[in-house]
Amino acid sequence: MKRTRQPGISRRATLALMGAGAVTIAAPWVARAQAKTIKIGMPTILSGRVAQLGTSSRNAVLLEVEKVNAVGGLAGRQIEMVIRDSKGQPQEAARVARELVNTDGCEMLFDGEASSGSFAVHEVARDLGVLCIHTCSEASSLTADPKQHIPNAFRCVRQGIHDSIVGGSYAAAIAKAKGLKKWATCSPDYAYGRDTTGEFALYLKRFAPDVEIISESWPKLFQPDYTEVVTKILQAKPQGLYTCLWGGDLTSYIDQANIYALFTQMEVFAVNMADYTALTVVKNLPKGIHSGNRYIKTFPKTPENAAWGDAYRTKYNEYPTNWSWQNATAVMLLAEAVKKANSTDGKKVAEALRGLTIKCPFGADGTVTMRAEDNTLVGYAIGWGTTIPQEPYVPEVKAGDWKTIFELEAEWKKSKGYT
Amino acid sequence: MDIDALAGCLASPACLVTQTTSGLIIGMLLFLVAVGLTLIFGVLKVVNFSHGAFYMFGAYFAMTAYQFSDSFALAMLCGAAGTAILGLIFERVFMSRVYGADVLMQLLVCYAFVLIFDDVVRMIWGPEFKSMGMPSAFQVPPLFIAGGVVPPYYLLLIGVALVAAMVLGLGLARTRIGKVIRAAAHNPGMVSALGINTGLIYGGVFALGGMLAGLAGALAAPVRSLTPGMGFSVLIESFIVTVIGGMGSILGALVGALLIGLIRSFGSLGFPLFTEGLMYLFMVIVLVSRPSGLFGKEVA
């Protein structure tokens, strides 16, 4: 019996067509794998009240990427940054991060989000398995909590617990020397404010057991008026005041507290004061506010740090912020890790990053390390000093001791059940 | 809850003076914003959601004028006059087109301009926060009245707001223009039939409302940081004030603003974790007992 061919497309032709289709669809991915440029995605906050910090993050990254590209890029591939606005909203940060990887073809992520958004981006990195470096979130639990740990995510940021240990010991030394026993706190009413204030008080009392917290104020984030908070503190008559207000909230608070002469009646410890965003905006900066170093070009007092601060200012016509140095360090670390791995493959780079020590203008001893045990940055310059109303703003900074930080951090992790 | 602290303060003249003036300061700035809002609603029957933007522009205009002239008086004048002109243009060009439209359309137009005005500020002055700084004349130690602390700048602020309240109250009650405005609020058709240009009145009222919010912004500029979007938080509290006082009532706005100021001031001592909640709780109590507000007219 003769077999007659059915009209239409044969099975063989169908298979051939499907094969051709698959090749066509896969072609961009093949092409991407061989692309000369490497795309790095970065969600950050480019609009809203903290846009200045996001912009300064972007500026710092671009400044450093320019240098890396000038000497050949990452393993011979030029870096192309794809930077998108998350508006500071966690859900938007997660959406943008996912889109950067899935649609824009980014092979790595820089997470330029504040704490709230960084946890959302962290989950995207966990899901997609893409290499992710957090560059702005200071919330300690992001890397300290083992539940959060993923091998492809790193934190290249100062950490709340480190600041609290150094700040607590610095403040305790002054409390003992000047007999400051009654303290008040005034911090923004959200996770960062509550956690940081609690940790500062913990270490202040540890180093100066006589200290008593007699008044607490928790103004809303972005509250326009602090008059009732200022007068409440004046009524309590503390000898020392701690605040972790930041940015425009801190400058408003200083302006409003100034006219009540609050700064002449107590020693004030404002961890976020020594950042150029606040230092250059306050018109009547009182002398003698104690602050942690955020970013100032005079600490660490090295030619490398001063040169970096000046180069940034020359390029962008303003001083860098705390977020700037952290983002710049992320690019420096990535470039060294790629060199060490001799590859841009995310897994190999992550392996190279773990435990990597590099020369860095922002290191306490000229180097910083990506600690292997929890994928977090250590060894950065950290200290406290007192402000003056003009440059260099914080003439003398008392550096924190990293040996003590490591010891107390290990204790803290144990108390939290993290180890 | 720290009732002991509150009772201790009420028993101490020094604390009483400090906290009362603190409440007056918060209240008076709120009053200046809220009275414009209530005035515009009273006459134009429009809930102006973009009113916070005038507070923002007032602060930015004042800061710019102060930077160029170093004169605090000129800064205040520019803050108030600039926003009055802006208010007039805004009303004539945009708002006057939606008076007949439904509330949703008015709301959308106002909200669109909240975003547009914020972006305009961002483009002109930049996205970062700014500070005007305290004029040197007021960089003096605070006064001590009965042991309580009172900054001289805040005395000026309370004084300016009180004068504005009195001029506004008397102007509306005793002058011919005031009578026309009140008549236009009551029956615009009849006022128009009598040959009075109601468009001019509407524009003038909007300009006046904008000017008062701008004056509040200018007075706040030396002590508050300036950012795009700074009007929004003030707007919410101003709405609370107008709801408590009664929409359309100037006396209501004054009483409501002072009550909110005092609640914040004394509430922060006695209920430090519930100060915001106290404001809303008070609003709920007023709304339940007097749905049209303390001085609002009952709707038949």
Side-chain angles (χ1 to χ4, degrees):
Chain A
M1 192 173 115
K2 190 181 174 187
R3 290 179 71 185
T4 51
R5 193 174 169 275
Q6 295 288 320
I9 301 171
S10 71
R11 191 192 320 157
R12 195 169 293 171
T14 308
L15 282 171
L17 272 172
M18 283 170 66
V23 168
T24 312
I25 292 164
W29 296 93
V30 174
R32 197 182 77 190
Q34 294 165 344
K36 193 69 180 159
T37 58
I38 178 167
K39 284 186 181 176
I40 301 176
M42 181 172 174
T44 190
I45 307 167
L46 299 174
S47 58
R49 183 142 171 180
V50 288
Q52 193 180 6
L53 289 175
T55 310
S56 75
S57 303
R58 180 182 63 189
N59 290 348
V61 163
L62 294 178
L63 182 72
E64 290 306 311
V65 162
E66 207 173 284
K67 291 180 197 165
V68 175
N69 281 344
V71 293
L74 295 179
R77 298 171 69 187
Q78 293 285 298
I79 303 172
E80 183 188 337
M81 291 302 303
V82 188
I83 303 172
R84 299 259 163 82
D85 184 14
S86 69
K87 303 175 184 74
Q89 295 165 3
Q91 71 279 13
E92 185 68 0
R95 189 192 66 75
V96 167
R98 201 172 280 278
E99 192 179 273
L100 284 166
V101 176
N102 288 341
T103 311
D104 294 276
C106 293
E107 294 174 50
M108 298 170 184
L109 285 176
F110 276 6
D111 162 33
E113 292 295 316
S115 298
S116 50
S118 67
F119 282 90
V121 176
H122 193 74
E123 289 312 307
V124 174
R126 189 196 296 273
D127 185 29
L128 300 180
V130 68
L131 177 69
C132 173
I133 304 180
H134 301 291
T135 58
C136 299
S137 168
E138 298 175 35
S140 301
S141 60
L142 183 64
T143 48
D145 185 351
K147 284 183 205 143
Q148 297 290 344
H149 182 80
I150 47 173
N152 53 313
F154 297 81
R155 180 225 296 272
C156 181
V157 188
R158 68 188 319 130
Q159 219 179 123
I161 186 66
H162 297 164
D163 267 334
S164 297
I165 291 168
V166 176
S169 66
Y170 169 87
I174 291 171
K176 280 180 186 168
K178 296 190 173 180
L180 315 177
K181 291 184 180 168
K182 291 180 177 176
W183 283 65
T185 65
C186 171
S187 293
D189 192 11
Y190 75 116
Y192 165 76
R194 294 255 174 194
D195 290 355
T196 309
T197 304
E199 287 159 10
F200 174 86
L202 178 76
Y203 290 105
L204 172 64
K205 284 184 190 170
R206 182 192 170 105
F207 293 115
D210 287 351
V211 162
E212 187 192 354
I213 307 288
I214 57 164
S215 169
E216 290 178 28
S217 303
W218 302 102
K220 272 189 313 180
L221 188 63
F222 307 149
Q223 183 168 312
D225 198 292
Y226 295 94
T227 307
E228 81 265 19
V229 176
V230 172
T231 53
K232 181 189 167 187
I233 293 167
L234 288 174
Q235 302 303 338
K237 295 190 173 63
Q239 295 162 303
L241 169 71
Y242 171 80
T243 177
C244 67
L245 288 168
W246 54 279
D249 289 6
L250 179 61
T251 57
S252 279
Y253 181 79
I254 289 172
D255 282 337
Q256 291 170 30
N258 240 341
I259 57 174
Y260 277 97
L262 181 139
F263 298 101
T264 62
Q265 298 176 46
M266 61 197 76
E267 294 279 334
V268 177
F269 295 73
V271 63
N272 295 320
M273 187 71 245
D275 204 4
Y276 289 114
T277 44
L279 289 168
T280 53
V281 168
V282 178
K283 295 288 187 300
N284 314 111
L285 183 70
K287 194 179 169 187
I289 294 181
H290 302 273
S291 175
N293 73 308
R294 301 296 286 173
Y295 177 78
I296 47 169
K297 65 172 192 167
T298 48
F299 183 74
K301 219 173 209 160
T302 60
E304 291 83 7
N305 184 31
W308 190 85
D310 288 336
Y312 183 103
R313 195 183 185 191
T314 306
K315 192 169 171 71
Y316 298 111
N317 202 28
E318 61 182 18
Y319 272 126
T321 67
N322 180 56
W323 285 21
S324 304
W325 79 259
Q326 296 171 164
N327 278 276
T329 306
V331 181
M332 293 172 196
L333 271 164
L334 179 66
E336 280 302 311
V338 169
K339 213 181 276 177
K340 188 176 157 193
N342 196 25
S343 165
T344 51
D345 176 73
K347 278 187 182 159
K348 288 179 186 168
V349 176
E351 219 30 70
L353 265 175
R354 239 179 301 284
L356 181 68
T357 298
I358 61 161
K359 277 191 179 173
C360 179
F362 320 113
D365 62 355
T367 66
V368 292
T369 299
M370 182 55 74
R371 187 165 60 189
E373 70 179 63
D374 54 0
N375 289 359
T376 200
L377 190 77
V378 293
Y380 54 86
I382 182 168
W384 277 64
T386 52
T387 55
I388 56 171
Q390 66 281 335
E391 286 208 63
Y393 295 113
V394 191
E396 292 299 328
V397 179
K398 190 175 182 299
D401 169 29
W402 273 99
K403 191 168 162 282
T404 312
I405 296 173
F406 289 143
E407 282 170 15
L408 295 176
E409 186 189 14
E411 257 180 45
W412 171 80
K413 278 187 173 178
K414 212 171 176 182
S415 72
K416 286 276 183 182
Y418 291 158
T419 50
Chain B
M1 202 155 63
D2 194 353
I3 296 297
D4 287 347
L6 184 60
C9 182
L10 293 174
S12 149
C15 182
L16 216 52
V17 169
T18 307
Q19 293 307 111
T20 306
T21 49
S22 157
L24 285 177
I25 294 149
I26 300 166
M28 280 307 188
L29 273 181
L30 265 181
F31 163 72
L32 285 178
V33 183
V35 74
L37 198 65
T38 208
L39 195 66
I40 290 169
F41 176 80
V43 178
L44 281 69
K45 304 288 179 275
V46 168
V47 180
N48 181 19
F49 274 89
S50 58
H51 198 64
F54 293 93
Y55 168 81
M56 172 179 71
F57 272 116
Y60 274 96
F61 287 158
M63 180 191 70
T64 309
Y66 185 69
Q67 280 169 349
F68 281 106
S69 68
D70 214 24
S71 160
F72 178 66
L74 191 68
M76 295 301 104
L77 191 68
C78 283
T83 45
I85 295 166
L86 190 71
L88 184 66
I89 296 170
F90 180 55
E91 193 276 338
R92 283 293 83 196
V93 179
F94 302 104
M95 289 309 290
S96 59
R97 295 171 197 276
V98 291
Y99 285 150
D102 63 12
V103 177
L104 198 62
M105 174 60 87
Q106 293 174 352
L107 188 71
L108 278 173
V109 170
C110 287
Y111 187 64
F113 273 94
V114 169
L115 302 177
I116 292 167
F117 284 146
D118 282 355
D119 279 349
V120 167
V121 166
R122 199 171 285 120
M123 282 189 281
I124 298 173
W125 286 281
E128 65 276 12
F129 57 87
K130 306 264 183 199
S131 171
M132 176 172 146
M134 183 58 65
S136 50
F138 295 102
Q139 287 177 31
V140 289
L143 303 172
F144 288 90
I145 301 170
V149 193
V150 184
Y153 180 71
Y154 282 169
L155 282 181
L156 171 92
L157 196 150
I158 294 170
V160 170
L162 272 178
V163 169
M166 281 165 58
V167 168
L168 197 66
L170 287 174
L172 281 177
R174 304 276 171 85
T175 64
R176 186 177 174 277
I177 297 172
K179 282 176 189 164
V180 172
I181 290 173
R182 282 188 289 134
H186 189 67
N187 192 339
M190 181 59 78
V191 171
S192 185
L194 290 171
I196 294 168
N197 185 348
T198 48
L200 193 67
I201 293 169
Y202 287 170
V205 166
F206 215 99
L208 182 63
M211 186 189 83
L212 290 165
L215 180 64
L219 285 167
V223 286
R224 293 184 183 179
S225 65
L226 278 57
T227 54
M230 66 184 278
F232 192 69
S233 54
V234 178
L235 184 72
I236 293 172
E237 289 193 354
S238 302
F239 272 121
I240 298 175
V241 165
T242 47
V243 167
I244 290 173
M247 291 292 275
S249 165
I250 290 167
L251 181 63
L254 180 65
V255 174
L258 291 179
L259 283 171
I260 290 294
L262 292 172
I263 285 172
R264 288 192 73 106
S265 161
F266 285 96
S268 70
L269 291 176
F271 309 90
L273 299 176
F274 195 62
T275 317
E276 293 286 319
L278 272 184
M279 259 177 10
Y280 290 99
L281 188 66
F282 182 62
M283 184 176 79
V284 168
I285 293 169
V286 170
L287 280 179
V288 168
S289 54
R290 285 185 65 89
S292 54
L294 293 175
F295 295 89
K297 290 191 180 76
E298 296 288 342
V299 179

